[in-house]
Amino acid sequence: MNSNKTVLISGGAGYIGSHTAVELINAGYDVVIIDNLSNSDRNAVDGVRDIVGRDIPFEVVDTCDRAALRAVFDRYAFDSVIHFAAFKAVGESVAEPLKYYQNNLVSFMNIVELMKETGRPNVLFSSSATVYGEAEVLPVTEQTPRQPATSPYGNTKQIAEDILRDCCGAYSGLNGIALRYFNPIGAHPSALIGELPRGVPNNLVPFITQTAAGIRPMLSIFGNDYDTPDGTCLRDYIDVVDLAKAHVAAVNRMVGARMESSYEIFNIGTGRPVSVLELITTFEKVNDLKLPYQYTARRAGDVPAVWADTTRANEVLGWKAERSLDDTLRAAWAWEKHIRNIK
Ligand code: NAD
Ligand code: UDP
């Protein structure tokens, strides 16, 4: 393995990590996947292997376990790490803040510390549009001020961004990129990997696909009295394969040492706002089915609208979202049918 062309993926059995593994391999990288399987299944790694047609090193490791992580750093040669490993349920983070601060921050500090200790240069961090909160001006650019976090989960993203900025500033040779994802949705077109929410999904698209599959009797639209064109919230839904390719572009940038400074931030979205209602009607249209839905009260903590200005990612990373919402929602349904054995 050539260390310059090898990427360690923490949380690589998860939703975004598994898709990123595929795109990195398609782009000529080797990957090493680690995951503690706390929110994923080892079948996802087999799905990645099936798509790329070759074996991939995978180890069950908790990134909070420094000694186990150190052993991975000693065993494999890699220059770049993509750190996906984190808990991500906003509501649960409010109920169990320590669980979130512990897992999301200790794991990230272990990664950065071991990179410093072992002289690894490139780290890419999964941040989130949640850092923008309810922005005054839309779309949001990377310069839009962050708002105080409204959940411990959101706070872990802000703190981790700051940790990365400070460490890249202090330790020469360490490069960091934070990608602020908007709303990742969809699945790989092969339907061999996709999102696997545990229990009742919080996110809109898995709730839609589970409703279409008959697992949920009714979809709720949380509020239709927002100050938006159809009264429902606006979001920027980014196809997970496009999102995965943004990671490849960011790794290329770090490996090619084309960073303007040692720490950079990029918004990763489509730049197009889509309402909850538009998303549902598009899903119905492209998959030729009807969804039972009702309007209910607003969900606490939801912002009315947020979408990305993606100019920086377009120009500096040379990356742009390519897949249409139609294709993305077809893929989301194909994946749900695959895991439920629906013909
Ligand atoms: P996911 O839960 O599918 O993937 C995360 C993976 O990390 C899981 O496989 C889980 O088992 C693993 N993991 C968690 N803690 C770990 C630990 N201590 N050690 C090893 N593995 C651990 O989630 P995802 O949607 O793929 O999200 C990936 C990253 O992107 C997360 O950091 C998440 O916060 C961030 N993010 C996700 C979204 C989204 O809507 N999906 C949006 C913005 C940011
Ligand atoms: N939403 C909804 N019904 C659901 C789940 C979500 O109406 O069952 C709405 C939610 O209010 C928000 C949008 O869908 O406006 C996206 O929510 P999601 O939880 O997927 O992502 P968020 O933007 O909150 O991170």
Side-chain angles (χ1 to χ4, degrees), residues 132-301:
Y132 295 116
E134 192 169 345
E136 280 172 21
V137 180
L138 292 166
V140 291
T141 76
E142 292 81 357
Q143 276 72 49
T144 299
R146 297 185 320 189
Q147 302 286 335
T150 54
S151 72
Y153 168 74
N155 210 16
T156 66
K157 293 299 175 197
Q158 299 211 7
I159 295 169
E161 281 191 354
D162 293 347
I163 290 172
L164 187 55
R165 180 203 58 209
D166 294 347
C167 291
C168 291
Y171 306 131
S172 71
L174 187 67
N175 303 313
I177 289 183
L179 298 184
R180 291 179 176 161
Y181 312 158
F182 281 67
N183 288 58
I185 62 167
H188 194 266
S190 65
L192 291 173
I193 51 173
E195 194 169 3
L196 264 186
R198 299 219 162 141
V200 182
N202 291 310
N203 294 116
L204 181 59
V205 170
F207 208 104
I208 287 175
T209 55
Q210 290 196 8
T211 306
I215 298 162
R216 312 278 156 214
M218 177 73 75
L219 171 66
S220 293
I221 297 181
F222 299 143
N224 63 342
D225 56 352
Y226 285 98
D227 184 17
T228 59
D230 65 21
T232 67
C233 291
L234 297 172
R235 293 288 184 276
D236 185 335
Y237 295 95
I238 174 77
D239 184 279
V240 68
V241 175
D242 280 334
L243 174 60
K245 289 179 178 170
H247 292 77
V248 177
V251 171
N252 286 342
R253 181 167 174 78
M254 290 193 286
V255 167
R258 290 190 303 273
M259 307 273 286
E260 283 152 21
S261 70
S262 57
Y263 174 61
E264 296 181 335
I265 301 171
F266 296 94
N267 283 344
I268 304 296
T270 65
R272 184 168 91 87
V274 171
S275 77
V276 175
L277 200 56
E278 180 186 350
L279 193 97
I280 292 170
T281 52
T282 307
F283 183 89
E284 290 182 323
K285 180 194 75 183
V286 300
N287 293 309
D288 195 21
L289 43 79
K290 281 277 164 219
L291 289 168
Y293 66 82
Q294 61 187 353
Y295 293 107
T296 59
R298 292 179 177 196
R299 182 171 68 178

